[in-house]
Amino acid sequence: YLEVENVTKRFGDLVAVDDVSFSADEGEFLSLLGPSGCGKTTMLRMIAGLETPTAGEIRIRGETVTDQPPYERDIGMMFQHYALFPHKTVGENVGFPLKMRGVNKADRRKQVAEALEMVRLPDAIDRSPTELSGGQQQRVALARALVFEPDVLLLDEPLSALDRVLRQQMRVELERIQKEIGVTTVYVTHDQMEAFSLSDTVVVLDEGQLSQQGAPIDIYENPASEFVGDFIGQST
Ligand code: ATP
């Protein structure tokens, strides 16, 4: 469903992503896990179309998207600092991707209401995002990422700005929503507990290279290298 094949990204002399291949089935929750600087965000940005790979191919539903601009890919994104527009209402924020796709106002309103229902904020539609708590703003950002029913959902450390309690709540919410709508998800994190608790598959990256790929339990029981063992053994 999502295939990443021999993808490399260089910035000058630096190899940020080095010949990485992995794939996710439809509805799968896959995490890219590794320490800061291992290339997780760069990988995600290439799937989104915000960076072009130096080499390799990315396919979604069998179609090569490697050189397509972001707006031609059916991808929902939520980043840690993917800010909401403060001067627009919650409804306008969530409806923005639909507006960009030329969806008419009546259909927009309906789809926005459904998305807000899904993240359990049905009454927030006419409010300003600035009146909402951090956790609620994250829910709005998630509703915006999902409102056009994307093929793939990309999440880059979406919970890291939240405090511990909210983080735990959002993790549970995220899991519920992802299973409910069955959207193929790529989740970037440096937090092994988060990756292990949420994912069907974990891809461990180390200095741009893929160290190990597998189900959480397999990686936990049989780390492929000292790096993986050390990394998943540590707690944050
Ligand atoms: P973090 O969790 O700290 O964001 P990461 O695993 O997501 O780390 P990347 O952000 O993908 O890592 O960065 C991988 C490497 O590529 C780093 O050494 C980074 O400095 C470098 N890099 C990323 N983007 C660029 C860019 N636009 N120009 C030059 N170097 C870059």
Side-chain angles (χ1 to χ4, degrees):
Y1 193 84
L2 167 69
E3 293 159 290
V4 171
E5 201 174 276
N6 304 113
V7 166
T8 293
K9 179 67 183 180
R10 294 174 193 276
F11 296 107
D13 287 342
L14 180 94
V15 187
V17 174
D18 189 0
D19 196 22
V20 168
S21 301
F22 61 86
S23 61
D25 291 336
E26 184 165 13
E28 191 169 326
F29 195 118
L30 180 143
S31 286
L32 299 175
L33 173 69
S36 181
C38 71
K40 309 180 294 288
T41 296
T42 303
M43 188 68 243
L44 205 68
R45 288 174 58 81
M46 290 191 283
I47 298 171
L50 301 169
E51 299 280 2
T52 309
T54 312
E57 196 169 302
I58 298 170
R59 290 186 295 273
I60 297 173
R61 301 171 73 147
E63 189 190 348
T64 300
V65 300
T66 322
D67 297 314
Q68 274 181 3
Y71 56 84
E72 284 181 15
R73 308 181 188 197
D74 259 342
I75 284 182
M77 284 180 260
M78 179 176 158
F79 296 158
Q80 181 187 341
H81 300 293
Y82 201 65
L84 302 171
F85 303 115
H87 303 300
K88 292 186 189 294
T89 65
V90 166
E92 286 165 346
N93 269 281
V94 175
F96 187 73
L98 298 174
K99 200 170 179 181
M100 296 306 286
R101 287 169 170 76
V103 177
N104 71 50
K105 207 168 173 177
D107 287 344
R108 277 207 310 267
R109 188 99 194 156
K110 185 165 164 283
Q111 283 170 258
V112 166
E114 283 170 8
L116 286 172
E117 189 79 44
M118 186 170 60
V119 298
R120 299 192 170 149
L121 280 177
D123 301 327
I125 194 160
D126 293 318
R127 294 178 67 184
S128 160
T130 56
E131 296 167 16
L132 304 180
S133 70
Q136 288 171 327
Q137 291 186 23
Q138 289 293 86
R139 286 163 196 255
V140 174
L142 184 60
R144 180 174 62 181
L146 291 171
V147 73
F148 56 94
E149 299 181 9
D151 290 335
V152 177
L153 175 64
L154 303 179
L155 303 167
D156 192 352
E157 306 258 5
L159 311 182
S160 55
L162 306 176
D163 68 39
R164 226 181 146 75
V165 175
L166 262 183
R167 207 175 157 142
Q168 171 62 17
Q169 281 173 5
M170 269 305 282
R171 189 159 82 190
V172 172
E173 279 289 278
L174 196 57
E175 196 170 12
R176 172 186 66 79
I177 291 166
Q178 197 272 342
K179 292 281 171 274
E180 201 171 293
I181 62 176
V183 63
T184 309
T185 302
V186 182
Y187 188 89
V188 159
T189 182
H190 65 274
D191 183 328
Q192 61 279 16
M193 286 308 292
E194 223 161 65
F196 277 38
S197 65
L198 286 166
S199 311
D200 301 308
T201 303
V202 177
V203 171
V204 186
L205 295 176
D206 176 24
E207 296 186 355
Q209 296 185 344
L210 192 152
S211 294
Q212 190 168 6
Q213 167 173 12
I217 185 75
D218 294 336
I219 294 181
Y220 189 76
E221 287 182 350
N222 294 303
S225 66
E226 206 171 306
F227 166 79
V228 176
D230 284 350
F231 187 69
I232 62 172
Q234 81 196 19
S235 58
T236 48

